[in-house]
Amino acid sequence: MNTSNIFIRVIVLMALSMSMLAMATTPSEIQTDTRQTNYSLPLPDGPSSIQSGLDEEASMWEGYIDVDGQGTPTWELNNVSDPSLDGKSLRCAITGGDPNSNIHCYRNLNPKPSSHFFSLSLQFQYRPTSTYNNAGGPSIVQAIEFSMSKWDQGVRYEWAMQWNNVNNSCDAGAPNWLYWNPADPCKWMDFGNSYSIDGERWHPLVLNGDILNGQVHYSYFSVDGLEQQLNIPLIAPAFESGVSDKLAVAVQLDGNSTETPYEVFIDQVTLTTWVFGDVPVSHWANDYIERLYDAGVTSGCSTSPPNYCPDATVTRAQMAIFILRGLHGSTYTPPSASGTVFGDVPADSFAADWIEQLAAEGVTGGCGDGNYCPDATITRAQMAIFLLRGKYGSTYMPPAATGTIFSDVPIGSFAAPWIEQLARDGVTSGCGDGNYCPENSVTRAEMAVFLVRAFNLP
């Protein structure tokens, strides 16, 4: 297939795939992956959504030899200043050994169980230059592979791309790029990308993937600025019992029939992970929304794909659930509703249990006339009252308002004492320009910030 028909040059990274995990994977759906062995290095402290500069500490990397019976290479793994884009890159090198043997250089990272979306970005080059597809004799480079993995409760989700430089029994299209599928006998699969990689210059690479219905989903691949949205069928993950939960990034070098030495340099290696497809790491409330998810207060607005709907407004019914889970924890279940507390909240209506419990705890008395108005959106002024009553109890009364904290919250305005106390508690700094916007509806993103700050969620 002509590469120009596959790729489109663009300046910015395309939007990432929106699909993820919706149900658990059963053992019968999992393939055993015998390539992986010891991923045993200590894990660095402090998991983060964006882990950059992963190439700069060679001591955190390790190598293992592929167990497919191709022999044993000699190899080296170290940091170098030349070549490098920022003063230090990681060098993984085959220096000799048995013919057709490989070395896999990898780095373990702390687990992030809540993550369902993954992006690996790096720049790489190899030395010396190599012919393509054994032209004129064995090509120095047989294949180079880049991967990211997540282990979760004995299941490994792996996204890997291989630049295949030599034809083999499963693929006769070299040089080309292949993706990893442990469920297929050939393992490495063609997806119509015949882009070649020349040596001794830097090549930027981005690989994005996610977990969809318990399966591995490839969503995006870019090399040298040529971008491809992927339409690869879902792949069953690998079953690896006894392996601790973790993330990892890796590069593998495949040697030729004479195990000619060559080296690969990787630089600016970054692994980015996130929870919801519509809340990328760049979203202003990402940290609060993911903390809310980790605390079990929310599972989002949809599970397949996993979205949070950050710009959607919060109804009073939804607010009852948010408040009580924030107060009592993710495992809390309120008593069954009676249907007698509010005229517009029958026992079988959405969130009826939560609404009645909110009233029982004295956080709300409804919206008037014996009703609760469950479908009405909640304003920022109303939210201040709900949060502080939930935090301090039904008898709590804030100090009198001063009228000096927010320009649009004068003394005597609705909920002014509550709004000012919310600010004193560090829960809000307003909506900008010295205002609080008390009549604005609360969005789900704002709700996450309010809850995490008010209830000190981890």
Side-chain angles (χ1 to χ4, degrees), residues 274-294:
W274 62 106
V275 175
F276 294 110
D278 58 353
V279 187
V281 174
S282 59
H283 191 280
W284 69 271
N286 170 274
D287 180 62
Y288 293 97
I289 291 169
E290 294 200 357
R291 286 163 70 181
L292 203 67
Y293 177 89
D294 287 342

Side-chain angles (χ1 to χ4, degrees), residues 237-291:
F239 179 63
E240 297 180 7
S241 61
V243 179
S244 60
D245 290 356
K246 61 174 75 77
L247 303 174
V249 295
V251 57
Q252 179 166 310
L253 286 62
D254 292 1
N256 66 9
S257 60
T258 59
E259 203 67 3
T260 307
Y262 76 97
E263 50 196 356
V264 171
F265 305 88
I266 56 175
D267 206 348
Q268 300 180 345
V269 179
T270 299
L271 180 66
T272 304
T273 64
W274 62 106
V275 175
F276 294 110
D278 58 353
V279 187
V281 174
S282 59
H283 191 280
W284 69 271
N286 170 274
D287 180 62
Y288 293 97
I289 291 169
E290 294 200 357
R291 286 163 70 181

